[in-house]
């Protein structure tokens, strides 16, 4: 998975609790992305980052925040998880020799009860 | 939403047959990419075609792009059971953010 790890890989939490997902890369790539994948919707972009402390919203950013204090780490936070945020979350990076191609992490399956 | 549409949603074929899946999008693109996702795994990049290209090959994969129709097709020749996966198209539209918009995917099942 191109030097990308996600943690945790699985998480079950309760409505209203805060949750933070971590994406870590060893490629020193500039761009990092968070997606969610739901049946019938494909992948939808939540937030992305184009450098340390530089982030922007994607298509489905409501209820999510992100932070990037180091090149290698991109954190996704659900401030108060809701059942509609039950999903599989993927991190991706791009850059290097193929700047248009995204490389994906293994995903985090989040269940909000 | 600018999300692309893929057709068919599901496809079942026998080993050795060819598989064709299609992708349509709504606004002009810089490039179009195809990704594969095996069950429970992350997406893997297959091939990229730029807006000024019409056809591209990579091994058993052939991609065509018709910008006038805003559509692309992915052909997998001589399919194998290991090709069983979901296939997604993704389009990049303008700007310098490298953002991709993904289609809803085609689930391909190759029967041995």
């Amino acid at each position: 998975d191109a030097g990308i790890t996600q943690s945790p890989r699985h998480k079950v939490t309760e409505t209203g609790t805060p949750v933070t997902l971590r994406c870590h890369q060893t490629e020193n790539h500039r761009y990092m992305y968070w997606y969610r994948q739901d049946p019938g919707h494909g992948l939808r972009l939540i937030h992305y980052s184009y450098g340390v402390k530089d982030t922007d919203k994607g298509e489905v950013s409501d209820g999510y925040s992100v932070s990037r204090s180091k090149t290698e780490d991109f954190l996704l936070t659900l401030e108060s998880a809701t059942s509609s945020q039950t999903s599989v979350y993927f991190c991706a990076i791009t850059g290097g020799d193929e700047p248009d191609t995204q490389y994906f992490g293994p995903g985090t399956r989040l269940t909000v009860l | 939403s600018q999300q692309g549409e893929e057709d068919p949603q599901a496809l079942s074929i026998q080993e050795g047959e060819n598989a064709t899946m299609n992708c349509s999008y709504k606004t002009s693109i810089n490039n179009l990419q195809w990704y594969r996702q095996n069950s429970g795994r992350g997406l893997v990049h297959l091939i990229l075609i730029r807006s000024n290209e019409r056809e591209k090959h990579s091994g058993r994969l052939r991609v065509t792009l018709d910008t006038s129709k805003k559509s692309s097709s992915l052909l997998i020749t001589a399919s194998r059971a290991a090709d069983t996966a979901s296939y997604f198209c993704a389009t990049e539209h303008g700007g310098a953010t490298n953002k991709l918009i993904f289609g809803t995917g085609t689930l391909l099942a190759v029967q041995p």
Side-chain angles (χ1 to χ4, degrees):
Chain A
D1 290 320
I4 310 168
T5 57
Q6 293 184 230
S7 59
R9 295 291 314 279
H10 301 270
K11 186 169 182 66
V12 179
T13 190
E14 294 188 351
T15 298
T17 59
V19 176
T20 295
L21 308 183
R22 179 182 183 234
C23 176
H24 178 78
Q25 59 144 331
T26 59
E27 308 296 324
N28 200 35
H29 284 179
R30 178 183 175 191
Y31 292 93
M32 299 185 76
Y33 309 81
W34 276 108
Y35 294 90
R36 61 178 289 173
Q37 185 176 32
D38 305 287
H41 289 279
L43 272 78
R44 292 180 292 174
L45 182 65
I46 304 171
H47 281 280
Y48 64 99
S49 170
Y50 44 95
V52 173
K53 293 192 168 75
D54 291 324
T55 66
D56 206 348
K57 296 179 179 180
E59 179 187 0
V60 290
S61 59
D62 287 348
Y64 303 95
S65 62
V66 290
S67 66
R68 191 168 178 202
S69 58
K70 299 184 291 184
T71 298
E72 57 266 34
D73 289 325
F74 192 31
L75 304 181
L76 176 70
T77 297
L78 291 65
E79 301 289 348
S80 178
T82 67
S83 59
S84 64
Q85 293 176 311
T86 292
S87 187
V88 181
Y89 291 85
F90 288 98
C91 174
I93 64 174
T94 192
D97 294 337
E98 298 179 357
D100 298 318
T101 299
Q102 293 193 9
Y103 299 93
F104 283 80
T108 294
R109 182 173 295 276
L110 176 67
T111 302
V112 183
L113 301 176
Chain B
S1 169
Q2 299 183 61
Q3 195 167 41
E5 296 289 331
E6 296 191 54
D7 171 59
Q9 290 187 340
L11 179 61
S12 181
I13 59 174
Q14 298 293 126
E15 254 188 334
E17 294 180 339
N18 296 341
T20 299
M21 49 204 88
N22 304 295
C23 169
S24 61
Y25 56 91
K26 297 178 181 177
T27 60
S28 61
I29 61 172
N30 295 336
N31 64 68
L32 185 145
Q33 305 178 33
W34 287 89
Y35 288 78
R36 183 187 73 223
Q37 183 181 34
N38 290 91
S39 181
R41 306 290 296 273
L43 278 71
V44 174
H45 180 259
L46 295 176
I47 195 167
L48 179 152
I49 187 166
R50 300 197 182 281
S51 60
N52 60 353
E53 297 175 309
R54 292 297 168 258
E55 186 170 316
K56 204 161 184 181
H57 297 255
S58 177
R60 293 185 295 112
L61 305 180
R62 172 178 168 251
V63 171
T64 61
L65 178 64
D66 187 335
T67 52
S68 67
K69 295 181 179 178
K70 293 187 172 58
S71 67
S72 173
S73 67
L74 171 67
L75 169 67
I76 304 173
T77 60
S79 62
R80 307 165 181 168
D83 294 328
T84 294
S86 291
Y87 292 81
F88 295 89
C89 68
T91 49
E92 184 186 287
H93 305 259
T97 57
N98 294 32
K99 289 195 296 183
L100 294 178
I101 298 174
F102 283 84
T104 50
T106 292
L107 177 60
L108 173 65
V110 182
Q111 309 298 331

